[in-house]
Amino acid sequence: MAQFSVRDAKIHLSKLIADALQGGDVVITRGSVPVVRLVPVAPGGQRRFGTLKGKIAVDARFDEPLPENELGGWNLT
């Protein structure tokens, strides 16, 4: 994770944007406290399928019905 002060971020904003677009983790700090993370915006708000491939897993029990004690918390009407 690359951290930059607000002052440095102002000076190097174009480079930081390029880094974030390439997948870099860019964090802007005030003093030594991280306050903002610079992340790219998906074009047109469109989702890109496969971006979480290998990062998450679905348990084999995913499609099984919920137990009665958990169903009680859902408003299914």
Side-chain angles (χ1 to χ4, degrees):
M1 170 175 54
Q3 292 189 0
F4 299 87
S5 68
V6 172
R7 180 180 179 277
D8 289 340
K10 288 178 183 180
I11 295 169
H12 302 288
L13 184 59
S14 294
K15 179 190 177 310
L16 299 182
I17 291 172
D19 288 350
L21 289 172
Q22 294 298 315
D25 192 11
V26 178
V27 175
I28 299 173
T29 64
R30 281 195 179 136
S32 61
V33 179
V35 291
V36 176
R37 174 170 279 126
L38 189 61
V39 296
V41 175
Q46 297 175 353
R47 296 179 182 160
R48 291 183 293 149
F49 291 101
T51 56
L52 293 177
K53 186 175 184 175
K55 295 181 181 179
I56 62 170
V58 177
D59 191 282
R61 301 171 297 161
F62 180 78
D63 290 324
E64 292 179 8
L66 290 174
E68 288 297 322
N69 62 335
E70 289 186 30
L71 278 175
W74 291 86
N75 182 7
L76 301 175
T77 58

Short mmCIF file of all heavy atoms in Angstrom, two decimals:
data_model
loop_
_atom_site.label_atom_id
_atom_site.label_comp_id
_atom_site.label_asym_id
_atom_site.label_seq_id
_atom_site.Cartn_x
_atom_site.Cartn_y
_atom_site.Cartn_z
N MET A 1 0.85 -1.17 0.00
CA MET A 1 0.00 0.00 0.00
C MET A 1 0.90 1.24 0.00
O MET A 1 1.76 1.39 0.85
CB MET A 1 -0.91 -0.02 1.24
CG MET A 1 -1.65 1.25 1.46
SD MET A 1 -2.84 1.24 2.82
CE MET A 1 -1.89 0.69 4.19
N ALA A 2 0.66 2.11 -0.98
CA ALA A 2 1.43 3.34 -1.07
C ALA A 2 0.67 4.46 -0.38
O ALA A 2 -0.51 4.66 -0.64
CB ALA A 2 1.67 3.70 -2.53
N GLN A 3 1.33 5.16 0.54
CA GLN A 3 0.70 6.26 1.26
C GLN A 3 1.35 7.57 0.87
O GLN A 3 2.57 7.66 0.76
CB GLN A 3 0.79 6.04 2.77
CG GLN A 3 -0.02 4.87 3.26
CD GLN A 3 -0.08 4.82 4.78
OE1 GLN A 3 0.48 5.65 5.49
NE2 GLN A 3 -0.78 3.83 5.29
N PHE A 4 0.49 8.59 0.69
CA PHE A 4 0.97 9.91 0.29
C PHE A 4 0.27 10.96 1.14
O PHE A 4 -0.92 10.85 1.42
CB PHE A 4 0.65 10.18 -1.19
CG PHE A 4 1.31 9.20 -2.12
CD1 PHE A 4 0.69 8.01 -2.43
CD2 PHE A 4 2.55 9.47 -2.65
CE1 PHE A 4 1.30 7.09 -3.28
CE2 PHE A 4 3.17 8.56 -3.50
CZ PHE A 4 2.54 7.37 -3.82
N SER A 5 1.01 11.99 1.51
CA SER A 5 0.41 13.10 2.24
C SER A 5 -0.48 13.88 1.28
O SER A 5 -0.36 13.75 0.05
CB SER A 5 1.48 14.03 2.80
OG SER A 5 2.15 14.69 1.73
N VAL A 6 -1.38 14.69 1.80
CA VAL A 6 -2.24 15.51 0.96
C VAL A 6 -1.39 16.40 0.06
O VAL A 6 -1.67 16.54 -1.13
CB VAL A 6 -3.20 16.37 1.83
CG1 VAL A 6 -3.97 17.36 0.98
CG2 VAL A 6 -4.17 15.47 2.60
N ARG A 7 -0.34 16.96 0.60
CA ARG A 7 0.55 17.83 -0.19
C ARG A 7 1.15 17.06 -1.36
O ARG A 7 1.13 17.52 -2.50
CB ARG A 7 1.66 18.39 0.71
CG ARG A 7 2.62 19.29 -0.01
CD ARG A 7 3.70 19.82 0.94
NE ARG A 7 4.65 20.66 0.28
CZ ARG A 7 5.70 20.23 -0.42
NH1 ARG A 7 5.94 18.94 -0.51
NH2 ARG A 7 6.52 21.07 -1.00
N ASP A 8 1.70 15.87 -1.09
CA ASP A 8 2.29 15.07 -2.16
C ASP A 8 1.24 14.61 -3.17
O ASP A 8 1.51 14.53 -4.36
CB ASP A 8 3.01 13.85 -1.58
CG ASP A 8 4.30 14.22 -0.86
OD1 ASP A 8 4.83 15.32 -1.12
OD2 ASP A 8 4.76 13.42 -0.02
N ALA A 9 0.04 14.33 -2.69
CA ALA A 9 -1.04 13.90 -3.59
C ALA A 9 -1.40 15.03 -4.55
O ALA A 9 -1.68 14.77 -5.73
CB ALA A 9 -2.25 13.45 -2.78
N LYS A 10 -1.40 16.26 -4.07
CA LYS A 10 -1.69 17.40 -4.95
C LYS A 10 -0.63 17.52 -6.04
O LYS A 10 -0.95 17.78 -7.20
CB LYS A 10 -1.74 18.70 -4.14
CG LYS A 10 -2.95 18.85 -3.27
CD LYS A 10 -2.87 20.16 -2.49
CE LYS A 10 -4.02 20.35 -1.55
NZ LYS A 10 -3.93 21.60 -0.79
N ILE A 11 0.60 17.32 -5.67
CA ILE A 11 1.70 17.47 -6.62
C ILE A 11 1.70 16.33 -7.64
O ILE A 11 1.97 16.54 -8.82
CB ILE A 11 3.05 17.52 -5.86
CG1 ILE A 11 3.12 18.77 -4.99
CG2 ILE A 11 4.22 17.46 -6.83
CD1 ILE A 11 4.28 18.78 -4.01
N HIS A 12 1.41 15.11 -7.20
CA HIS A 12 1.54 13.92 -8.05
C HIS A 12 0.20 13.26 -8.39
O HIS A 12 0.14 12.05 -8.63
CB HIS A 12 2.42 12.89 -7.33
CG HIS A 12 3.78 13.40 -7.00
ND1 HIS A 12 4.75 13.63 -7.94
CD2 HIS A 12 4.32 13.77 -5.80
CE1 HIS A 12 5.83 14.09 -7.36
NE2 HIS A 12 5.60 14.19 -6.05
N LEU A 13 -0.88 14.05 -8.44
CA LEU A 13 -2.21 13.47 -8.64
C LEU A 13 -2.31 12.62 -9.90
O LEU A 13 -2.86 11.52 -9.87
CB LEU A 13 -3.28 14.56 -8.63
CG LEU A 13 -4.71 14.07 -8.73
CD1 LEU A 13 -5.05 13.13 -7.58
CD2 LEU A 13 -5.68 15.24 -8.76
N SER A 14 -1.77 13.08 -11.01
CA SER A 14 -1.86 12.31 -12.27
C SER A 14 -1.20 10.95 -12.12
O SER A 14 -1.73 9.94 -12.59
CB SER A 14 -1.20 13.08 -13.41
OG SER A 14 -1.93 14.25 -13.68
N LYS A 15 -0.04 10.89 -11.47
CA LYS A 15 0.65 9.62 -11.27
C LYS A 15 -0.15 8.71 -10.34
O LYS A 15 -0.26 7.51 -10.58
CB LYS A 15 2.04 9.85 -10.69
CG LYS A 15 2.82 8.58 -10.43
CD LYS A 15 4.08 8.86 -9.64
CE LYS A 15 4.84 7.61 -9.30
NZ LYS A 15 4.08 6.54 -8.71
N LEU A 16 -0.73 9.28 -9.29
CA LEU A 16 -1.51 8.49 -8.35
C LEU A 16 -2.76 7.91 -9.02
O LEU A 16 -3.12 6.76 -8.77
CB LEU A 16 -1.91 9.32 -7.13
CG LEU A 16 -0.76 9.88 -6.30
CD1 LEU A 16 -1.30 10.65 -5.10
CD2 LEU A 16 0.19 8.79 -5.86
N ILE A 17 -3.39 8.69 -9.88
CA ILE A 17 -4.55 8.19 -10.62
C ILE A 17 -4.13 7.03 -11.52
O ILE A 17 -4.79 6.00 -11.56
CB ILE A 17 -5.21 9.31 -11.45
CG1 ILE A 17 -5.88 10.31 -10.50
CG2 ILE A 17 -6.21 8.74 -12.45
CD1 ILE A 17 -6.40 11.56 -11.19
N ALA A 18 -3.01 7.19 -12.22
CA ALA A 18 -2.51 6.11 -13.08
C ALA A 18 -2.22 4.85 -12.27
O ALA A 18 -2.55 3.74 -12.69
CB ALA A 18 -1.27 6.57 -13.83
N ASP A 19 -1.61 5.03 -11.10
CA ASP A 19 -1.31 3.88 -10.23
C ASP A 19 -2.60 3.17 -9.80
O ASP A 19 -2.68 1.94 -9.83
CB ASP A 19 -0.54 4.32 -8.99
CG ASP A 19 0.90 4.70 -9.28
OD1 ASP A 19 1.36 4.46 -10.42
OD2 ASP A 19 1.55 5.26 -8.38
N ALA A 20 -3.62 3.94 -9.41
CA ALA A 20 -4.89 3.35 -8.97
C ALA A 20 -5.56 2.62 -10.13
O ALA A 20 -6.13 1.54 -9.94
CB ALA A 20 -5.81 4.43 -8.41
N LEU A 21 -5.50 3.18 -11.33
CA LEU A 21 -6.10 2.53 -12.49
C LEU A 21 -5.41 1.22 -12.85
O LEU A 21 -6.02 0.32 -13.42
CB LEU A 21 -6.09 3.47 -13.70
CG LEU A 21 -7.05 4.65 -13.62
CD1 LEU A 21 -6.81 5.61 -14.78
CD2 LEU A 21 -8.49 4.18 -13.60
N GLN A 22 -4.15 1.09 -12.48
CA GLN A 22 -3.39 -0.14 -12.73
C GLN A 22 -3.55 -1.14 -11.59
O GLN A 22 -2.90 -2.16 -11.57
CB GLN A 22 -1.91 0.19 -12.93
CG GLN A 22 -1.62 0.99 -14.19
CD GLN A 22 -2.03 0.24 -15.43
OE1 GLN A 22 -1.76 -0.93 -15.59
NE2 GLN A 22 -2.72 0.93 -16.34
N GLY A 23 -4.41 -0.81 -10.62
CA GLY A 23 -4.67 -1.74 -9.53
C GLY A 23 -3.88 -1.47 -8.27
O GLY A 23 -3.96 -2.23 -7.30
N GLY A 24 -3.12 -0.39 -8.24
CA GLY A 24 -2.34 -0.05 -7.06
C GLY A 24 -3.22 0.42 -5.92
O GLY A 24 -4.31 0.96 -6.14
N ASP A 25 -2.77 0.21 -4.71
CA ASP A 25 -3.48 0.64 -3.51
C ASP A 25 -2.91 1.99 -3.10
O ASP A 25 -1.82 2.07 -2.55
CB ASP A 25 -3.32 -0.39 -2.40
CG ASP A 25 -4.25 -0.16 -1.23
OD1 ASP A 25 -5.18 0.67 -1.36
OD2 ASP A 25 -4.07 -0.81 -0.20
N VAL A 26 -3.63 3.07 -3.40
CA VAL A 26 -3.16 4.43 -3.13
C VAL A 26 -3.96 5.02 -1.98
O VAL A 26 -5.18 5.13 -2.05
CB VAL A 26 -3.31 5.32 -4.39
CG1 VAL A 26 -2.87 6.74 -4.10
CG2 VAL A 26 -2.54 4.72 -5.56
N VAL A 27 -3.27 5.40 -0.91
CA VAL A 27 -3.91 5.96 0.28
C VAL A 27 -3.33 7.35 0.54
O VAL A 27 -2.13 7.55 0.47
CB VAL A 27 -3.67 5.06 1.52
CG1 VAL A 27 -4.22 5.70 2.77
CG2 VAL A 27 -4.31 3.69 1.28
N ILE A 28 -4.24 8.30 0.82
CA ILE A 28 -3.81 9.66 1.13
C ILE A 28 -3.97 9.87 2.63
O ILE A 28 -4.98 9.49 3.22
CB ILE A 28 -4.64 10.68 0.32
CG1 ILE A 28 -4.42 10.43 -1.18
CG2 ILE A 28 -4.26 12.11 0.70
CD1 ILE A 28 -5.31 11.25 -2.09
N THR A 29 -2.96 10.48 3.23
CA THR A 29 -2.92 10.64 4.69
C THR A 29 -2.94 12.11 5.08
O THR A 29 -2.55 12.98 4.31
CB THR A 29 -1.65 10.00 5.28
OG1 THR A 29 -0.51 10.69 4.78
CG2 THR A 29 -1.55 8.53 4.93
N ARG A 30 -3.41 12.35 6.30
CA ARG A 30 -3.24 13.64 6.96
C ARG A 30 -2.33 13.38 8.14
O ARG A 30 -2.72 12.66 9.05
CB ARG A 30 -4.58 14.18 7.45
CG ARG A 30 -5.39 14.80 6.37
CD ARG A 30 -6.52 15.64 6.94
NE ARG A 30 -7.27 16.23 5.87
CZ ARG A 30 -8.58 16.29 5.81
NH1 ARG A 30 -9.30 15.79 6.80
NH2 ARG A 30 -9.18 16.84 4.80
N GLY A 31 -1.16 13.94 8.08
CA GLY A 31 -0.15 13.56 9.07
C GLY A 31 0.21 12.12 8.81
O GLY A 31 0.56 11.75 7.71
N SER A 32 0.07 11.29 9.82
CA SER A 32 0.35 9.86 9.63
C SER A 32 -0.93 9.02 9.62
O SER A 32 -0.87 7.81 9.62
CB SER A 32 1.29 9.37 10.73
OG SER A 32 0.66 9.54 11.99
N VAL A 33 -2.10 9.71 9.57
CA VAL A 33 -3.38 9.02 9.63
C VAL A 33 -3.97 8.84 8.23
O VAL A 33 -4.22 9.83 7.53
CB VAL A 33 -4.38 9.80 10.51
CG1 VAL A 33 -5.73 9.10 10.55
CG2 VAL A 33 -3.81 10.01 11.90
N PRO A 34 -4.17 7.59 7.78
CA PRO A 34 -4.80 7.37 6.48
C PRO A 34 -6.25 7.88 6.51
O PRO A 34 -7.00 7.58 7.43
CB PRO A 34 -4.78 5.85 6.31
CG PRO A 34 -3.81 5.35 7.32
CD PRO A 34 -3.78 6.34 8.41
N VAL A 35 -6.64 8.69 5.49
CA VAL A 35 -7.99 9.24 5.47
C VAL A 35 -8.77 8.93 4.21
O VAL A 35 -10.00 8.92 4.22
CB VAL A 35 -7.98 10.78 5.70
CG1 VAL A 35 -7.57 11.11 7.13
CG2 VAL A 35 -7.10 11.48 4.71
N VAL A 36 -8.09 8.66 3.08
CA VAL A 36 -8.77 8.45 1.81
C VAL A 36 -8.03 7.38 1.01
O VAL A 36 -6.81 7.34 0.99
CB VAL A 36 -8.81 9.75 0.97
CG1 VAL A 36 -9.42 9.51 -0.39
CG2 VAL A 36 -9.55 10.84 1.69
N ARG A 37 -8.82 6.51 0.36
CA ARG A 37 -8.23 5.54 -0.57
C ARG A 37 -8.68 5.93 -1.98
O ARG A 37 -9.86 6.16 -2.21
CB ARG A 37 -8.69 4.12 -0.24
CG ARG A 37 -8.23 3.10 -1.26
CD ARG A 37 -8.48 1.68 -0.82
NE ARG A 37 -7.40 1.32 0.08
CZ ARG A 37 -7.58 0.84 1.30
NH1 ARG A 37 -8.78 0.65 1.78
NH2 ARG A 37 -6.55 0.53 2.07
N LEU A 38 -7.75 5.99 -2.90
CA LEU A 38 -8.03 6.34 -4.29
C LEU A 38 -8.31 5.05 -5.06
O LEU A 38 -7.45 4.18 -5.15
CB LEU A 38 -6.82 7.08 -4.89
CG LEU A 38 -6.99 7.71 -6.25
CD1 LEU A 38 -8.09 8.76 -6.24
CD2 LEU A 38 -5.68 8.35 -6.67
N VAL A 39 -9.53 4.93 -5.59
CA VAL A 39 -9.92 3.73 -6.33
C VAL A 39 -10.57 4.12 -7.65
O VAL A 39 -11.23 5.15 -7.76
CB VAL A 39 -10.90 2.84 -5.53
CG1 VAL A 39 -10.25 2.32 -4.27
CG2 VAL A 39 -12.16 3.59 -5.20
N PRO A 40 -10.40 3.30 -8.69
CA PRO A 40 -11.02 3.60 -9.98
C PRO A 40 -12.53 3.39 -9.93
O PRO A 40 -13.04 2.57 -9.16
CB PRO A 40 -10.37 2.62 -10.95
CG PRO A 40 -9.76 1.57 -10.11
CD PRO A 40 -9.55 2.13 -8.74
N VAL A 41 -13.23 4.12 -10.77
CA VAL A 41 -14.67 3.97 -10.91
C VAL A 41 -14.91 3.12 -12.15
O VAL A 41 -14.33 3.38 -13.20
CB VAL A 41 -15.35 5.35 -11.08
CG1 VAL A 41 -16.84 5.20 -11.35
CG2 VAL A 41 -15.10 6.21 -9.86
N ALA A 42 -15.77 2.10 -12.01
CA ALA A 42 -16.09 1.25 -13.16
C ALA A 42 -16.75 2.11 -14.23
O ALA A 42 -17.64 2.90 -13.92
CB ALA A 42 -17.00 0.11 -12.75
N PRO A 43 -16.34 1.99 -15.49
CA PRO A 43 -16.94 2.81 -16.55
C PRO A 43 -18.44 2.56 -16.66
O PRO A 43 -18.87 1.43 -16.78
CB PRO A 43 -16.22 2.36 -17.82
CG PRO A 43 -15.47 1.13 -17.47
CD PRO A 43 -15.38 1.04 -15.98
N GLY A 44 -19.21 3.62 -16.59
CA GLY A 44 -20.65 3.52 -16.70
C GLY A 44 -21.30 2.73 -15.59
O GLY A 44 -22.44 2.32 -15.69
N GLY A 45 -20.55 2.47 -14.52
CA GLY A 45 -21.09 1.70 -13.42
C GLY A 45 -21.29 0.23 -13.76
O GLY A 45 -21.96 -0.49 -13.05
N GLN A 46 -20.69 -0.21 -14.85
CA GLN A 46 -20.85 -1.60 -15.26
C GLN A 46 -19.98 -2.52 -14.43
O GLN A 46 -18.87 -2.18 -14.05
CB GLN A 46 -20.50 -1.76 -16.74
CG GLN A 46 -21.41 -0.98 -17.65
CD GLN A 46 -20.96 -1.05 -19.09
OE1 GLN A 46 -19.91 -1.58 -19.39
NE2 GLN A 46 -21.77 -0.52 -19.98
N ARG A 47 -20.51 -3.70 -14.19
CA ARG A 47 -19.76 -4.71 -13.45
C ARG A 47 -18.91 -5.52 -14.42
O ARG A 47 -19.30 -5.76 -15.56
CB ARG A 47 -20.72 -5.63 -12.72
CG ARG A 47 -21.52 -4.92 -11.67
CD ARG A 47 -22.46 -5.89 -11.00
NE ARG A 47 -23.26 -5.16 -10.02
CZ ARG A 47 -24.39 -5.58 -9.55
NH1 ARG A 47 -24.88 -6.73 -9.94
NH2 ARG A 47 -25.04 -4.87 -8.68
N ARG A 48 -17.76 -5.90 -13.96
CA ARG A 48 -16.89 -6.77 -14.76
C ARG A 48 -16.92 -8.15 -14.14
O ARG A 48 -16.47 -8.35 -13.02
CB ARG A 48 -15.47 -6.23 -14.80
CG ARG A 48 -15.36 -4.94 -15.58
CD ARG A 48 -13.94 -4.45 -15.66
NE ARG A 48 -13.53 -4.06 -14.31
CZ ARG A 48 -12.28 -4.13 -13.86
NH1 ARG A 48 -11.33 -4.58 -14.64
NH2 ARG A 48 -11.99 -3.77 -12.64
N PHE A 49 -17.49 -9.11 -14.86
CA PHE A 49 -17.59 -10.46 -14.36
C PHE A 49 -16.21 -11.10 -14.27
O PHE A 49 -15.35 -10.89 -15.12
CB PHE A 49 -18.51 -11.30 -15.25
CG PHE A 49 -19.94 -10.88 -15.15
CD1 PHE A 49 -20.52 -10.09 -16.12
CD2 PHE A 49 -20.70 -11.25 -14.05
CE1 PHE A 49 -21.83 -9.70 -16.01
CE2 PHE A 49 -22.01 -10.86 -13.93
CZ PHE A 49 -22.58 -10.08 -14.92
N GLY A 50 -16.01 -11.84 -13.21
CA GLY A 50 -14.76 -12.55 -13.02
C GLY A 50 -13.72 -11.81 -12.21
O GLY A 50 -12.64 -12.33 -11.96
N THR A 51 -14.02 -10.60 -11.76
CA THR A 51 -13.00 -9.84 -11.02
C THR A 51 -12.70 -10.44 -9.65
O THR A 51 -11.63 -10.20 -9.10
CB THR A 51 -13.42 -8.36 -10.84
OG1 THR A 51 -14.68 -8.31 -10.19
CG2 THR A 51 -13.49 -7.65 -12.16
N LEU A 52 -13.63 -11.23 -9.10
CA LEU A 52 -13.38 -11.86 -7.80
C LEU A 52 -12.99 -13.33 -7.93
O LEU A 52 -12.87 -14.02 -6.92
CB LEU A 52 -14.62 -11.73 -6.91
CG LEU A 52 -14.95 -10.30 -6.48
CD1 LEU A 52 -16.23 -10.28 -5.65
CD2 LEU A 52 -13.80 -9.71 -5.68
N LYS A 53 -12.76 -13.79 -9.15
CA LYS A 53 -12.39 -15.19 -9.36
C LYS A 53 -11.11 -15.51 -8.58
O LYS A 53 -10.12 -14.81 -8.67
CB LYS A 53 -12.17 -15.47 -10.84
CG LYS A 53 -11.94 -16.91 -11.15
CD LYS A 53 -11.86 -17.15 -12.64
CE LYS A 53 -11.72 -18.62 -12.91
NZ LYS A 53 -11.75 -18.89 -14.36
N GLY A 54 -11.19 -16.56 -7.78
CA GLY A 54 -10.04 -16.96 -6.97
C GLY A 54 -9.92 -16.21 -5.65
O GLY A 54 -9.08 -16.52 -4.83
N LYS A 55 -10.77 -15.19 -5.45
CA LYS A 55 -10.70 -14.39 -4.23
C LYS A 55 -11.80 -14.77 -3.24
O LYS A 55 -11.67 -14.50 -2.06
CB LYS A 55 -10.81 -12.91 -4.55
CG LYS A 55 -9.64 -12.40 -5.36
CD LYS A 55 -9.78 -10.93 -5.64
CE LYS A 55 -8.60 -10.45 -6.48
NZ LYS A 55 -8.72 -9.04 -6.78
N ILE A 56 -12.90 -15.34 -3.74
CA ILE A 56 -13.98 -15.77 -2.86
C ILE A 56 -14.36 -17.20 -3.20
O ILE A 56 -14.07 -17.69 -4.29
CB ILE A 56 -15.22 -14.86 -2.96
CG1 ILE A 56 -15.80 -14.89 -4.38
CG2 ILE A 56 -14.91 -13.44 -2.54
CD1 ILE A 56 -17.14 -14.20 -4.49
N ALA A 57 -15.01 -17.85 -2.27
CA ALA A 57 -15.48 -19.22 -2.49
C ALA A 57 -16.89 -19.34 -1.95
O ALA A 57 -17.24 -18.72 -0.96
CB ALA A 57 -14.56 -20.21 -1.79
N VAL A 58 -17.70 -20.14 -2.64
CA VAL A 58 -19.07 -20.38 -2.20
C VAL A 58 -19.11 -21.76 -1.57
O VAL A 58 -18.69 -22.75 -2.18
CB VAL A 58 -20.05 -20.29 -3.39
CG1 VAL A 58 -21.46 -20.63 -2.95
CG2 VAL A 58 -19.99 -18.91 -4.02
N ASP A 59 -19.58 -21.80 -0.34
CA ASP A 59 -19.67 -23.05 0.40
C ASP A 59 -20.64 -24.01 -0.30
O ASP A 59 -21.61 -23.57 -0.92
CB ASP A 59 -20.14 -22.75 1.82
CG ASP A 59 -20.02 -23.94 2.73
OD1 ASP A 59 -20.89 -24.83 2.63
OD2 ASP A 59 -19.07 -23.98 3.53
N ALA A 60 -20.41 -25.29 -0.19
CA ALA A 60 -21.28 -26.29 -0.81
C ALA A 60 -22.70 -26.22 -0.27
O ALA A 60 -23.64 -26.64 -0.93
CB ALA A 60 -20.71 -27.69 -0.58
N ARG A 61 -22.89 -25.65 0.92
CA ARG A 61 -24.22 -25.53 1.53
C ARG A 61 -24.98 -24.29 1.08
O ARG A 61 -26.07 -24.02 1.55
CB ARG A 61 -24.08 -25.51 3.05
CG ARG A 61 -23.41 -26.76 3.61
CD ARG A 61 -23.12 -26.59 5.08
NE ARG A 61 -22.17 -25.47 5.23
CZ ARG A 61 -21.95 -24.80 6.36
NH1 ARG A 61 -22.59 -25.12 7.44
NH2 ARG A 61 -21.09 -23.82 6.41
N PHE A 62 -24.46 -23.54 0.12
CA PHE A 62 -25.05 -22.27 -0.29
C PHE A 62 -26.52 -22.38 -0.66
O PHE A 62 -27.33 -21.54 -0.30
CB PHE A 62 -24.26 -21.68 -1.47
CG PHE A 62 -24.79 -20.38 -1.97
CD1 PHE A 62 -24.53 -19.20 -1.29
CD2 PHE A 62 -25.57 -20.32 -3.11
CE1 PHE A 62 -25.03 -17.99 -1.74
CE2 PHE A 62 -26.07 -19.11 -3.58
CZ PHE A 62 -25.80 -17.94 -2.89
N ASP A 63 -26.90 -23.41 -1.41
CA ASP A 63 -28.28 -23.55 -1.88
C ASP A 63 -29.20 -24.28 -0.91
O ASP A 63 -30.38 -24.46 -1.21
CB ASP A 63 -28.29 -24.27 -3.23
CG ASP A 63 -27.72 -23.40 -4.34
OD1 ASP A 63 -27.95 -22.17 -4.32
OD2 ASP A 63 -27.05 -23.94 -5.24
N GLU A 64 -28.67 -24.72 0.20
CA GLU A 64 -29.51 -25.43 1.18
C GLU A 64 -30.46 -24.45 1.87
O GLU A 64 -30.12 -23.28 2.06
CB GLU A 64 -28.64 -26.12 2.23
CG GLU A 64 -27.83 -27.27 1.68
CD GLU A 64 -26.96 -27.93 2.75
OE1 GLU A 64 -27.10 -27.58 3.95
OE2 GLU A 64 -26.14 -28.76 2.37
N PRO A 65 -31.65 -24.91 2.26
CA PRO A 65 -32.58 -24.03 2.99
C PRO A 65 -31.97 -23.57 4.31
O PRO A 65 -31.17 -24.28 4.92
CB PRO A 65 -33.79 -24.93 3.24
CG PRO A 65 -33.66 -26.07 2.31
CD PRO A 65 -32.20 -26.23 2.03
N LEU A 66 -32.37 -22.38 4.74
CA LEU A 66 -31.90 -21.86 6.02
C LEU A 66 -32.56 -22.62 7.16
O LEU A 66 -33.70 -23.06 7.05
CB LEU A 66 -32.25 -20.37 6.15
CG LEU A 66 -31.48 -19.42 5.25
CD1 LEU A 66 -32.05 -18.02 5.40
CD2 LEU A 66 -30.01 -19.43 5.58
N PRO A 67 -31.86 -22.77 8.28
CA PRO A 67 -32.48 -23.40 9.45
C PRO A 67 -33.63 -22.54 9.97
O PRO A 67 -33.65 -21.32 9.77
CB PRO A 67 -31.35 -23.46 10.47
CG PRO A 67 -30.11 -23.06 9.78
CD PRO A 67 -30.47 -22.42 8.50
N GLU A 68 -34.57 -23.16 10.65
CA GLU A 68 -35.74 -22.46 11.17
C GLU A 68 -35.36 -21.27 12.05
O GLU A 68 -36.00 -20.22 11.99
CB GLU A 68 -36.63 -23.43 11.96
CG GLU A 68 -37.38 -24.41 11.09
CD GLU A 68 -38.36 -23.74 10.13
OE1 GLU A 68 -39.01 -22.75 10.52
OE2 GLU A 68 -38.44 -24.21 8.98
N ASN A 69 -34.32 -21.40 12.87
CA ASN A 69 -33.94 -20.31 13.77
C ASN A 69 -33.45 -19.08 13.00
O ASN A 69 -33.55 -17.96 13.47
CB ASN A 69 -32.92 -20.76 14.81
CG ASN A 69 -31.62 -21.21 14.17
OD1 ASN A 69 -31.59 -21.61 13.02
ND2 ASN A 69 -30.55 -21.15 14.94
N GLU A 70 -32.93 -19.25 11.80
CA GLU A 70 -32.50 -18.12 10.99
C GLU A 70 -33.64 -17.57 10.14
O GLU A 70 -33.70 -16.36 9.86
CB GLU A 70 -31.33 -18.51 10.09
CG GLU A 70 -30.04 -18.73 10.85
CD GLU A 70 -28.87 -18.97 9.94
OE1 GLU A 70 -28.85 -18.45 8.82
OE2 GLU A 70 -27.96 -19.71 10.36
N LEU A 71 -34.54 -18.42 9.71
CA LEU A 71 -35.68 -17.97 8.90
C LEU A 71 -36.57 -17.00 9.65
O LEU A 71 -37.18 -16.12 9.05
CB LEU A 71 -36.51 -19.17 8.44
CG LEU A 71 -36.01 -19.90 7.21
CD1 LEU A 71 -36.87 -21.13 6.95
CD2 LEU A 71 -35.97 -19.00 6.00
N GLY A 72 -36.65 -17.16 10.97
CA GLY A 72 -37.51 -16.29 11.78
C GLY A 72 -37.16 -14.81 11.67
O GLY A 72 -38.01 -13.95 11.86
N GLY A 73 -35.93 -14.48 11.34
CA GLY A 73 -35.50 -13.09 11.23
C GLY A 73 -35.83 -12.44 9.91
O GLY A 73 -35.68 -11.23 9.74
N TRP A 74 -36.31 -13.22 8.95
CA TRP A 74 -36.61 -12.67 7.62
C TRP A 74 -38.10 -12.39 7.49
O TRP A 74 -38.93 -13.18 7.90
CB TRP A 74 -36.21 -13.67 6.53
CG TRP A 74 -34.75 -13.82 6.42
CD1 TRP A 74 -33.95 -14.67 7.14
CD2 TRP A 74 -33.87 -13.12 5.54
NE1 TRP A 74 -32.65 -14.53 6.76
CE2 TRP A 74 -32.57 -13.58 5.78
CE3 TRP A 74 -34.06 -12.14 4.58
CZ2 TRP A 74 -31.48 -13.08 5.08
CZ3 TRP A 74 -32.97 -11.66 3.89
CH2 TRP A 74 -31.70 -12.14 4.15
N ASN A 75 -38.43 -11.27 6.90
CA ASN A 75 -39.83 -10.95 6.63
C ASN A 75 -40.15 -11.48 5.24
O ASN A 75 -39.83 -10.86 4.23
CB ASN A 75 -40.05 -9.44 6.70
CG ASN A 75 -41.50 -9.05 6.48
OD1 ASN A 75 -42.37 -9.92 6.42
ND2 ASN A 75 -41.75 -7.77 6.38
N LEU A 76 -40.79 -12.65 5.17
CA LEU A 76 -41.03 -13.31 3.91
C LEU A 76 -42.47 -13.15 3.42
O LEU A 76 -42.93 -13.95 2.60
CB LEU A 76 -40.71 -14.81 4.04
CG LEU A 76 -39.26 -15.12 4.45
CD1 LEU A 76 -39.07 -16.60 4.67
CD2 LEU A 76 -38.28 -14.61 3.41
N THR A 77 -43.15 -12.13 3.84
CA THR A 77 -44.52 -11.93 3.40
C THR A 77 -44.61 -11.04 2.20
O THR A 77 -43.75 -10.33 1.85
CB THR A 77 -45.39 -11.32 4.52
OG1 THR A 77 -44.79 -10.09 4.91
CG2 THR A 77 -45.52 -12.27 5.67
#
